[in-house]
Every structure is written in structure tokens, then in C-alpha cells.
Amino acid sequence: MARKFIPRDVSWLSFNSRVLQEAADETVPLPSKIKFLGIFSNNLDEFFRVRIPGLKRAIDIKDKEANTSFFEDPQIILDEVNTIVIKQQKKFDNFWALIQKEMAQQHVYIKDASQLNLKQEEFVRNFYSEDVESNVIPLLLDDSRPMPYLRDKSLYLGISMRKQEWEYETKFAIIEIPTTLNGRFVILPASAKEKHIILLEDIIKFNLPYIFSYFGFDEFHAHVFKITKDAEFDIDNDINTTLAEKISKGIKNRRKGKTTRFIFDKEMDPRLVEFLIKKLQLTKKDNIIPGQKIHNFKHFMDFPNVFKQPNLPITNPAFTHPQLNKTQRITDIIIKKDILLSFPYHTFRPVIDLLREAAMDPDVKTIQITAYRLASNSKIVNALINAARNGKDVTVMLELQARFDEENNLFWKEKLELEGIRVLTGVPNKKVHAKLCIIKKRVGAKTIQYGFVSTGNINEKTAKLYGDYCLLTSNRSVMADINKSFIS
């Protein structure tokens, strides 16, 4: 029977496949091809953190209502997803091999620990000693010890070690690669005509005899692996705790999320692979994927700029909307007429200026706004805080359930409340995606209302990347609708 619907998870993989296709497009510059591999990999990581756990939960509970929401048997969807992921991984490996050949044409090479010349070996020893060693903590593994906590955004080195005289005894250890502290890529000394790059895990591999010198091992086999964990969390129905407390608890429980994917270098010692599978409590139904030497390709979005200047497409900076080019205040303009901003083509600055003007305007009495994902150093928040300090009544509807931004939004909630701002935290069993703002000012006996309705995140950083619209308006009908949204 033909499908009436394409399952959302299968459809999402089709989207990610189009990202992967960009890495194979001959018209795409080499640095961008590498970046597309990183984007594809990062997308897939999130897919296994969120979408796969949802399918598995539906399978486990065998609830008809839950299964109906997928429009067909979740097990069938999961099997199809696994098949697609494996096919995409093969394409990924093929594209990466082609990209490395293209890199070689520009005399750019990624070297591993066995390919270093004497000068590079000395450099790697010194770099490890001076920059990396303090961030490396080896963890020994054996049956008598519990498995150490592994983070699902990290990359690990799985190590098999032995002494030559111990014919049958092998010891295992793991090391978390400190990419957050040291970066993933290190440029090696090389001739003027060539660029040599080594990955941080290979620097650690090279120094394993030094790292484990206390134990006297003579043979080392080290290969990278990573895991992905279930990042979904359930919000309980305890009426004695606030939503913020429930979200905070859920964030902590993510540490306990079940492993949904285990990817490892196919050259890894089979005994270590079996040991890790057992310790991670994985079964044949889980995604256990042998792969190539390099994992956590998301770091390749920040690959060093070592290439010849490519013929990059012409990029134009964001520009100010023509009707906002004058020195007039944004407020004065939108009270007279609507302005439609299209990001990232238009600059986001008018949105920030609108709130800054409201914060300083003595006639403004009230600001009400929704927020979903805020920038790390949000100018929006800064304007709202200054408005509150200037005596305005400020209300922020802050969605605490913005996936993977829950912790950031809890931080903003506390910061805003400390400034006396009223923070609303959502509607039960729903997410507030609306991007709304209403500003009310009192001029004589008249109340003037203006603001905006928008797509996107009200985030000055993502507005430079994502395609969104923002209508700056004082239209009475629009303002009436926004007012209804903020009724307590």
C-alpha cells in the first residue's frame, strides 16, 4: 500500500542528504565543502539525540495513540532510518576521500601520528607538554570498575595497551579529547609550499608512551569513538514544583540519557569494542556503527583557513531598509507606516534600536515581548533591562523549553527577574514560538501602541544567517491580537 505521508524522520534525512550533496558539488569552493561535511555531521548528531529516542520510546511503550502520531509502525520507520543513515555514511566517506584529494592538489595534508618527520615529532612532543597535557586525564577500564560518565558531545580515544611479555593480557583505557580547550586542529611545521595539519587526537596518540610511562607498556593501539545520548526529557506533573525547576531537573537528567548511537573506528581492537558495548549496555537493536578514522566532523566547520583564496561567491553585507535610512527615530517612522524587514538581507539593528528607544523614552510605560533563543550577549536583553531600570513595566514571555537552549534560558530568566522584570515561562504542554512585541506609550490622554510580529528567534546573531521576516507596525488590529496574547 502506497504511503499517504512520508514519515517526518525519513523526510528530515532527505533534507540532511541535500546538505551532504553540497559537499560533492564541484562548483562549491573547497573550504565550503569541508564545512558542509561538518554541518551534515552536526545535524545527524542532533537527529540521534532527539528523533531516534522518540521512535524508540514509541516502540517500547507500544501505545496505539503514540504509534498513530507517526502514521505507521515506528519500528518500520526506525528500520528505514537505519538503512538510510548507513547509506548516507558511505556517501559521506566517499565525499571525504574526494575532498582530501582536492586538498592534496592545494598541497594541504592531514597527517597522523605515524607520518611525522623528526622536526614535526619534536613539535608534537613540545605542544603536548606545554598546551595539552594538563587537560588530559586517562581513565583505566576493567570489569571491576563502573563505566566512567561519557559526554555525548565529546570525542574519545579508546586505547588498548600491553607489555610484550604479557602475551594474553591487555589493558584498556579511554581519554577524552580536550577539543573545547585546545581545538581540534594544529598546524605542523612544514615546507613553504605545503600545509600540514594534525588532529588533536593524533597528538595524544603520539604521546601515549609518555602518558602511560608509569605502567611500562610497550604496545599501544588507539582509535577514536563517540557516543550519542537520548537528549529528550519528560516534564513531570508534580504541582509542587515550578516549570523552571522541572526544566532544571530535566537538564541534569540528560546526563543519564541512554546511549542511542556508538560510532567507532573500524580498526579499533575488537576486544575493546566488545568491552565498550557491554559497559554502555548496548544491544544489537542499537546503532553500533563502525566507521572511518575521523569522527565528530562537526569540528570541521572550523577547519583552518590554509587554502589558496578560492573563488567564493560574492557576498553582500546586510543593509538598512531604505525607509529607515534617515536619522529619524525608528519609533516615529513605524507609528506612521509599517516596515517589513527581511533577514539576513536587512540589518537587525532597527529591532534593537526600537527597544533601545523605548527604554529611554519617558512616555513609554510598558514593554511586552516573547523570546525563544537569545544571543549569548543579547542586546535585546540589555535594552529590556535598561527599560526596567528606567521604570518601565517590562514583561518577557521566555520559552524555557527551547530545545538545547533550556539552560541558557534559565540563566536569562534569573537575570531578568533580578532586574525586576516579570518573566512568563510558557503554556502547559505547549511551546510558545510566537515572536511578538508590544510597546505602549502615553502621550497626553492618548495611549499609542506599536511593536512587531516576526519569525525567527529575536536574536541578532542568527538574524545574520537565517531567512526570517519582521513586521514593524502600529496597526491597531495587530496590536489588539498581541494584547490578547499577554493577558494573564
Side-chain angles (χ1 to χ4, degrees):
M1 182 177 175
R3 274 177 169 161
K4 292 183 179 180
F5 303 97
I6 297 174
R8 68 168 193 170
D9 302 308
V10 173
S11 176
W12 187 94
L13 287 173
S14 297
F15 148 73
N16 209 31
S17 179
R18 292 191 288 277
V19 176
L20 186 57
Q21 287 171 7
E22 292 294 321
D25 188 334
E26 293 182 0
T27 65
V28 173
L30 180 55
S32 298
K33 288 181 180 180
I34 296 173
K35 184 170 288 189
F36 276 119
L37 289 184
I39 295 170
F40 170 87
S41 180
N42 191 53
N43 287 347
L44 198 59
D45 286 348
E46 185 167 328
F47 180 80
F48 273 91
R49 295 181 77 200
V50 177
R51 297 292 185 86
I52 292 296
L55 281 169
K56 289 187 173 181
R57 289 182 185 192
I59 293 167
D60 290 342
I61 62 176
K62 297 176 182 175
D63 181 83
K64 287 186 178 181
E65 185 176 342
N67 292 353
T68 301
S69 66
F70 290 94
F71 296 100
E72 62 181 272
D73 187 342
Q75 184 63 61
I76 294 175
I77 299 174
L78 183 60
D79 292 342
E80 183 176 357
V81 162
N82 290 337
T83 300
I84 294 171
V85 167
I86 291 171
K87 287 181 179 178
Q88 288 184 349
Q89 187 61 49
K90 289 179 180 178
K91 284 185 179 180
F92 181 98
D93 294 338
N94 291 335
F95 294 163
W96 173 232
L98 292 172
I99 287 172
Q100 285 179 290
K101 290 180 180 179
E102 194 173 342
M103 290 167 60
Q105 292 172 3
Q106 293 199 29
H107 307 292
V108 176
Y109 304 92
I110 296 179
K111 298 290 184 178
D112 65 33
S114 65
Q115 297 172 320
L116 306 178
N117 59 38
L118 292 177
K119 185 176 181 180
Q120 290 171 339
E121 288 182 354
E122 182 181 2
F123 173 87
V124 165
R125 287 192 194 94
N126 291 335
F127 183 85
Y128 177 82
S129 176
E130 294 172 9
D131 295 277
V132 183
E133 184 174 15
S134 59
N135 299 323
V136 169
I137 302 176
L139 301 172
L140 294 175
L141 305 177
D142 59 54
D143 285 321
S144 64
R145 306 179 195 212
M147 185 68 179
Y149 169 71
L150 301 183
R151 289 185 281 206
D152 67 344
K153 290 187 177 181
S154 293
L155 184 67
Y156 292 88
L157 201 60
I159 307 156
S160 299
M161 308 171 288
R162 63 186 297 271
K163 292 183 180 180
Q164 288 181 349
E165 64 268 24
W166 294 356
E167 186 175 356
Y168 298 107
E169 187 169 1
T170 300
K171 296 291 185 181
F172 300 138
I174 58 174
I175 291 176
E176 182 176 1
I177 310 299
T179 52
T180 303
L181 299 169
N182 296 105
R184 184 83 182 274
F185 309 100
V186 178
I187 298 176
L188 293 166
S191 66
K193 294 181 179 179
E194 295 185 346
K195 297 290 185 181
H196 292 185
I197 296 167
I198 188 169
L199 300 179
L200 185 60
E201 59 262 35
D202 280 299
I203 289 178
I204 295 173
K205 279 186 191 180
F206 182 84
N207 285 279
L208 286 177
Y210 167 72
I211 295 170
F212 291 99
S213 57
Y214 178 81
F215 298 95
F217 297 115
D218 352 87
E219 291 184 14
F220 297 89
H221 299 279
H223 302 84
V224 295
F225 72 91
K226 73 171 184 177
I227 64 169
T228 310
K229 289 185 176 181
D230 181 348
E232 287 282 49
F233 56 77
D234 298 316
I235 298 176
D236 61 45
N237 297 318
D238 185 356
I239 61 173
N240 295 316
T241 56
T242 65
L243 178 61
E245 290 169 335
K246 292 171 184 175
I247 295 289
S248 180
K249 180 181 177 182
I251 292 169
K252 293 175 182 176
N253 285 340
R254 270 187 180 150
R255 288 175 54 92
K256 304 173 185 176
K258 187 180 186 301
T259 300
T260 60
R261 183 175 56 156
F262 172 49
I263 305 180
F264 58 94
D265 186 337
K266 62 184 179 183
E267 301 297 327
M268 181 182 282
D269 185 333
R271 293 168 295 179
L272 178 54
V273 172
E274 289 299 321
F275 181 88
L276 290 172
I277 289 173
K278 182 178 73 172
K279 283 291 189 179
L280 293 170
Q281 299 180 339
L282 298 174
T283 68
K284 292 181 180 179
K285 293 182 179 180
D286 294 304
N287 293 86
I288 301 171
I289 306 171
Q292 300 298 318
K293 175 180 178 291
I294 300 175
H295 296 297
N296 247 17
F297 255 86
K298 67 178 182 180
H299 296 131
F300 280 66
M301 288 190 281
D302 301 313
F303 196 82
N305 183 19
V306 293
F307 301 103
K308 297 175 184 176
Q309 191 64 33
N311 295 320
L312 294 172
I314 297 172
T315 57
N316 295 309
F319 63 94
T320 303
H321 192 288
Q323 296 186 45
L324 299 177
N325 265 327
K326 301 176 183 178
T327 55
Q328 266 184 293
R329 296 195 316 160
I330 305 294
T331 303
D332 297 335
I333 295 172
I334 69 169
I335 284 175
K336 296 175 184 176
K337 58 186 173 183
D338 294 349
I339 301 290
L340 181 64
L341 301 177
S342 177
F343 308 125
Y345 307 105
H346 290 135
T347 176
F348 189 77
R349 182 64 184 267
V351 178
I352 299 170
D353 286 345
L354 180 69
L355 292 170
R356 288 180 63 252
E357 290 171 9
M360 295 182 287
D361 189 337
D363 293 329
V364 167
K365 305 303 178 184
T366 303
I367 301 174
Q368 295 171 310
I369 190 171
T370 62
Y372 193 74
R373 299 185 194 276
L374 294 161
S376 53
N377 294 305
S378 177
K379 294 178 182 178
I380 298 292
V381 170
N382 188 51
L384 296 172
I385 287 174
N386 284 320
R389 289 174 178 173
N390 278 334
K392 320 299 182 190
D393 181 7
V394 181
T395 299
V396 178
M397 168 55 240
L398 184 61
E399 181 50 75
L400 296 183
Q401 297 181 76
R403 182 169 285 138
F404 303 131
D405 265 329
E406 300 96 344
E407 195 166 358
N408 291 333
N409 285 355
L410 285 172
F411 164 79
W412 288 123
K413 176 181 181 294
E414 182 177 351
K415 187 175 180 68
L416 290 166
E417 288 178 336
L418 284 173
E419 297 290 344
I421 293 173
R422 181 184 178 214
V423 178
L424 310 176
T425 55
V427 178
N429 303 316
K430 293 187 180 352
K431 282 188 181 181
V432 177
H433 267 280
K435 312 304 188 298
L436 307 172
C437 174
I438 184 167
I439 299 166
K440 300 175 185 177
K441 61 187 295 183
R442 190 76 176 171
V443 180
K446 185 179 180 181
T447 297
I448 299 173
Q449 301 184 52
Y450 59 96
F452 60 77
V453 292
S454 178
T455 65
N457 295 320
I458 314 182
N459 180 318
E460 56 269 29
K461 291 187 177 179
T462 58
K464 296 177 181 179
L465 303 170
Y466 301 162
D468 286 299
Y469 295 99
C470 179
L471 178 66
L472 305 175
T473 183
S474 60
N475 181 282
R476 289 185 178 182
S477 297
V478 174
M479 293 300 108
D481 280 347
I482 298 178
N483 266 310
K484 292 175 184 177
S485 301
F486 283 97
I487 294 174
S488 300

